[in-house]
Structures are given as structure tokens and as C-alpha cells.
Amino acid sequence: MPISKNRGTRRGFLAGALGLPALARAVQTASSPYRRPKLKITDIRTAEVRVHGHQLHIRVYTDQGIVGQGEATDAVRGGAPLVSQFRFLMMGQDPLNVEALFERARTMGIFAGAQAGQYVAALSGVEIALWDLAGKALGLPVYQLLGGQVRNRVRLYCDSGRNPGGEQSKAGARQIQEMGFTAVKIDLDNFADPARFDRVNWTASNGEIEHMLAKVAFTRELYPKQIDLAADMHGRYDATTGKRVAKELEPFKLMWLEEPVPAENVDAMRDIRQSTSTPICCGENLYLRHGFRELLEKRAVDIIMPDLQKVGGLLEGRKIADMAHTYYVPFAPHNVTSPIGTMASAHVCAAVPNFLVLEWHWIDSLALWRSWVKEGEIIDKGFISIPERPGIGVEMDEAAARKAQVPGTPWFEPSRGV
Ligand code: MG
């Protein structure tokens, strides 16, 4: 409405008295009903990279030029054809209805594996891209769309991934401390351990258990007491071994022992948890809220570690964290992704009260990590500060990321057909 027609009204008086057309416009805008952008999805494209495992990067395009980016991980070989199916479903749809798009894509696949695995992992990447897109369209950082901020920086732990022992481990520990990390994780399982009975045996021998304890003792000595230590068995042992290792590790006061047995047998995990004071953590190979329900109901874990790039995405991750919070179980997401996926996870970690710590797994690919996004290094002394930029808040540096492209796979080339 023109300012002249506002004479005699409070709005017109304010503008006229101050003589500021800009103020008048601002008042007009502030008191007008807000109309959110009306967008339509025009394409969804993918690129595949291999750094720590296999990742599927996803971009959702719209009719107004706004593009959302997401990342899926681990269970993503064969994910691109699944994304094509989601694209078929989502073309022409409003990308801001994230929950509806997610639910439709998931229920579309109930008879096609949509309960877990590749289907949910690929959908996770699309869901994350939709949140990035929604944030950009609305001018808000993603955490704001997930309930707002309960913390403005997110603590990371460094997964050293190395077989602890020797001078190389000592140098690695010095580097991790110089980088400011307050928590680290090591691997306990070792297929090459000469004390193993055989390559596929699930029972650790006394010798193998001794080697595991020695790794923890060695690593514990490398770090001051205030640095937390976690240890991962990768779900490769039987329940008896899991119980023995958890019991023997009690003096080390670990932050957690991860997946002493696979997470698929909740009763076995609960038996181990009940047998020890060592905190038990699991969940990187579980999917959706449904994957965590029984685990929480049976009090089978002390800490959960869903991987947000495969469990169902950011809102699903928030919902899982909230379920866990009703059992007073902390949330410590697994994460092996690039700065894009890591920052996406950090937005969820910033928005949930029961966050403990987020994984970071790129210490062996530091140069790539620091060049992957245009914003450069996003970690400062073992923490990620959450950006206020709209969306996830980091943008891929194409030239850097393409160094890790899986040969023979598309690089965000336009899709053909509808
Ligand atoms: Mg693990």
C-alpha cells in the first residue's frame, strides 16, 4: 500500500513523522502476513566419492535456483538408482514439506527394503539436502528448523582408527592433542592378530583379549586423564568375549565400549551391559527410530550412536535423540562423512539436549578435509562452531571434492526424463 494512503493511521504517522520511506517499508513488511517461498523440485542429482568408506553426495534443485546439498554414507553402493526413484516421486513437489516427502518416499518402499540399509541411507542423503534447501529458502540455519539451539558449538572426538602401539601411535596422539581434541576412539578388533583362532571365529582367545587390553593401556598412557577414551569392537565378537572384554576394561573408565556384539540381538547387548560398569554404546548400523526402540525399551545400551547420514537423516536423528532422552541415554552420533555431512550432523547435535560427542574420522585425510568446502577448516580445537548462514552453512569446493570421485560415476550430471 502506498505510504500516502496511510495518512491518519499509526503506520502512516510513524513513517511520516520520521520521514523515512525505508522505515515505512520495513513496518509494512513486518506487519504483513509472511508468505514463504513457493518452490518446486526440478531435479535430484548425485556424485559418489570414496574417502573413509563410500559416500553419496546429493543435490536437490528447484525452479527458483535454490539448491540443497546432502550426503549419505556407508550403505550407499547402489544408492544412486534409489535416488532416481525418490526423484521420480519428488519432482514438482514443494521441498519445504520435508516430513511429507520423507514419509512418502519411505512408505513407497515398504516392500522394497525401506526398513533399513541402502534404501534408508540414500533417503537420508536426500532428506539432508532438503533441510539445507529449506534453510536457504527461509534464510535460517538448519538447527533453527530442528528446534533451535541448545549449544553453539559441538564437541568432537577423533577416531584415530590406527592399531595402537609404537612410535607412530605416539606421534598420532601428539597430533590429536595439538589439534585440541578432548576425546579419542581406538579400534580393538584386529583380523591380523596372530592370537586369533581363525579369520572368522567370533570368540577371542586369551591372547587376543590380552592384546586388546594392551592397546587400551598403551593409549590411555598417551593422553592426560581429562581426555576421554572410547574403544570399538565393531560387533565382531560373541557375547562371552564381549562380557570378558567389558569387565577387564573397567579400570580404564572408558567413555564407552562400542559394539562388543552386533546391535541386531538386543538381548545379547543388554546382557553385556548388565554385566559391567563399562558404558556400552551401539547404533551405527541401526536404521530409523524403529531400530532404536527395542534397544532403549530393554535398556540394552548406555549411549546410542546413530549415523545421521544413514539412519534416516537429520529430523529422524533428532527424533531418535528425543526417544533416547526419555531413557536418559546420551546421543553420540557416528560420523565418517565430509565437512558437509559432519556440519549437517552438528546442527542436530546443537539442537538436542542429550548430545554427548560427535565422531570425526578424517585425520588420515587432513588436506582433503581442509579443502573440501569453500569455508575451509570448520574444526577449532576439537569443536565445531555452528554457522549462522542459511542451510547447513558450508558449500562444496568442487575441485577438491572431485579428487575423491569414484571412477565411472556421475558428478551431479543432469538426470534425464521425469
Ligand atoms: Mg563403530
Side-chain angles (χ1 to χ4, degrees), residues 37-206:
K38 283 291 180 192
L39 300 166
K40 283 185 180 173
I41 295 174
T42 54
D43 205 357
I44 304 179
R45 305 177 195 168
T46 60
E48 296 185 45
V49 299
R50 197 174 288 132
V51 184
H52 183 79
H54 197 110
Q55 281 82 38
L56 182 66
H57 285 263
I58 292 161
R59 289 183 185 161
V60 178
Y61 297 76
T62 61
D63 60 348
Q64 294 183 36
I66 304 174
V67 179
Q69 59 180 342
E71 183 173 357
T73 195
D74 284 0
V76 291
R77 288 169 202 249
L82 288 162
V83 172
S84 291
Q85 286 183 43
F86 305 147
R87 173 181 175 276
F88 182 78
L89 177 82
M90 295 180 185
M91 286 284 280
Q93 299 295 311
D94 182 343
L96 301 193
N97 293 325
V98 181
E99 173 89 59
L101 292 173
F102 179 86
E103 191 71 358
R104 284 187 62 198
R106 205 187 79 74
T107 53
M108 176 180 76
I110 280 179
F111 300 95
Q115 292 74 20
Q118 274 83 351
Y119 196 101
V120 176
L123 184 54
S124 302
V126 175
E127 195 258 19
I128 293 166
L130 290 171
W131 283 118
D132 183 51
L133 205 166
K136 288 170 176 167
L138 299 170
L140 293 170
V142 167
Y143 73 78
Q144 201 71 62
L145 305 174
L146 296 171
Q149 210 174 68
V150 295
R151 60 185 62 78
N152 60 14
R153 57 186 208 138
V154 165
R155 182 188 179 214
L156 301 174
Y157 71 87
C158 177
D159 191 320
S160 62
R162 297 162 179 153
N163 208 15
E167 290 305 313
Q168 193 181 350
S169 293
K170 290 178 183 172
R174 279 195 296 275
Q175 181 190 10
I176 288 167
Q177 289 179 77
E178 283 163 12
M179 292 173 76
F181 287 99
T182 59
V184 293
K185 187 166 85 181
I186 59 168
D187 297 341
L188 295 188
D189 53 309
N190 178 12
F191 283 132
D193 190 328
R196 280 188 74 84
F197 294 126
D198 60 59
R199 179 71 168 72
V200 295
N201 204 303
W202 285 70
T203 305
S205 67
N206 285 340

Side-chain angles (χ1 to χ4, degrees), residues 46-50 54 80 402 404-411 413:
T46 60
E48 296 185 45
V49 299
R50 197 174 288 132
H54 197 110
R402 201 152 187 180
Q405 181 178 2
V406 177
T409 57
W411 189 263
E413 268 92 33

Side-chain angles (χ1 to χ4, degrees), residues 290-371:
H290 309 287
F292 289 83
R293 182 181 58 80
E294 189 184 2
L295 197 69
L296 292 165
E297 284 178 353
K298 290 187 170 173
R299 292 147 177 81
V301 285
D302 296 279
I303 297 152
I304 56 160
M305 46 164 297
D307 188 313
L308 305 189
Q309 279 73 37
K310 66 196 250 197
V311 78
L314 305 187
L315 183 57
E316 193 70 10
R318 153 116 235 179
K319 291 172 181 175
I320 291 165
D322 289 340
M323 278 170 57
H325 198 29
T326 66
Y327 294 88
Y328 313 117
V329 168
F331 171 75
H334 177 264
N335 168 50
V336 294
T337 57
S338 78
I340 294 170
T342 301
M343 187 62 89
S345 291
H347 278 272
V348 179
C349 298
V352 301
N354 52 326
F355 166 69
L356 174 62
V357 68
L358 171 65
E359 180 169 359
W360 178 70
H361 209 126
W362 279 45
I363 194 156
D364 293 326
S365 308
L366 261 184
L368 199 54
W369 170 265
R370 288 173 172 156
S371 60

Side-chain angles (χ1 to χ4, degrees), residues 159 185 187 232-234 258-259 284-285 305 334 359:
D159 191 320
K185 187 166 85 181
D187 297 341
D232 193 352
M233 294 175 72
H234 289 110
E258 186 166 315
E259 300 198 328
E284 69 178 280
N285 293 311
M305 46 164 297
H334 177 264
E359 180 169 359

